[in-house]
Amino acid sequence: GAVFPANLGELDSPCSSITRAQPVLDDFSRDWYSAHLLQAGEGPLANYAVSDSQINRQIRFIWLRSFHRPIVIRITQRENGRWQLNAVELNGACGYEPGVVGRSIERELDDEEETGLLRMVDGAKLFEQPSLICELGLDGARWIVEGIDREAYHFIDRWSPEQGPVHDFGLYALELTGWDVGEIY
């Protein structure tokens, strides 16, 4: 299924050269990321906003480590202002097959967690980061962050970031699950 907006395949990435244009999200990555999202029971962020008029904002973190279990964390701000965490860990390995749901959690964030979340997203200007930066690597992890509000859809994809807003947000989202996730890379 089409989990990501089609126009991500049409937008030129900052890594495009004069001889060969590269999309922000190529077909291989779209299929790979989508397979993990679909196994986690996730659809396009836009679907949640359309299907639930109580939704104000959503942020999704997709963590695909080469040799570890895939994790998808969706954090939703409802119309009443409260934030809801939905997280799924699949039992496969990201560089291979997604597997099936191994564990999941659904809960409302408390006031302190919401304050931390807003600091990681708005305070750090997370969605002002470029969708891509030119980086390459072999074994590592994809850190994908999506966001949607009533005005725009945002997409950020990084390879094993060691610092910065994407790294900090991803670690915070993982911390909110309360899970021991093993190696961070």
Side-chain angles (χ1 to χ4, degrees):
V3 179
F4 299 97
N7 72 334
L8 290 178
E10 299 162 8
L11 300 173
D12 281 343
S13 88
C15 308
S16 295
S17 67
I18 294 171
T19 57
R20 185 171 160 259
Q22 298 175 344
V24 167
L25 184 63
D26 61 35
D27 290 341
F28 173 82
S29 297
R30 177 188 303 273
D31 292 346
W32 181 35
Y33 301 170
S34 295
H36 289 83
L37 285 173
L38 293 170
Q39 279 300 112
E42 290 283 310
L45 283 189
N47 280 7
Y48 296 106
V50 169
S51 67
D52 186 346
S53 62
Q54 301 300 306
I55 289 176
N56 205 14
R57 289 171 80 184
Q58 283 197 87
I59 305 160
R60 181 162 55 194
F61 175 56
I62 307 159
W63 199 34
L64 304 178
R65 296 175 289 170
S66 293
F67 306 110
H68 291 81
R69 294 177 173 190
I71 294 177
V72 177
I73 301 167
R74 182 169 33 89
I75 308 171
T76 305
Q77 184 186 37
R78 303 211 168 263
E79 225 168 36
N80 67 6
R82 299 304 306 195
W83 289 85
Q84 176 80 24
L85 173 81
N86 295 76
V88 171
E89 181 183 66
L90 301 172
N91 67 3
C94 299
Y96 305 93
E97 292 297 320
V100 297
V101 174
R103 61 180 165 175
S104 64
I105 185 173
E106 182 176 326
R107 69 175 182 83
E108 192 171 275
L109 301 186
D110 65 30
D111 291 344
E112 186 177 323
E113 291 169 331
E114 286 183 9
T115 299
L117 176 69
L118 294 175
R119 187 174 54 250
M120 293 291 156
V121 176
D122 298 337
K125 300 184 181 344
L126 177 65
F127 291 116
E128 292 180 24
Q129 303 300 307
S131 291
L132 292 177
I133 54 176
C134 298
E135 57 190 351
L136 295 172
L138 297 173
D139 295 329
R142 299 308 316 184
W143 297 53
I144 302 125
V145 180
E146 296 176 278
I148 192 167
D149 54 31
R150 300 203 183 273
E151 298 173 12
Y153 170 83
H154 308 277
F155 176 85
I156 305 169
D157 188 351
R158 297 287 184 273
W159 178 81
S160 297
E162 295 180 4
Q163 60 185 11
V166 174
H167 174 266
D168 297 346
F169 170 75
L171 288 183
Y172 189 72
L174 290 165
E175 183 182 306
L176 290 174
T177 68
W179 296 338
D180 177 2
V181 296
E183 191 177 350
I184 306 288
Y185 58 93

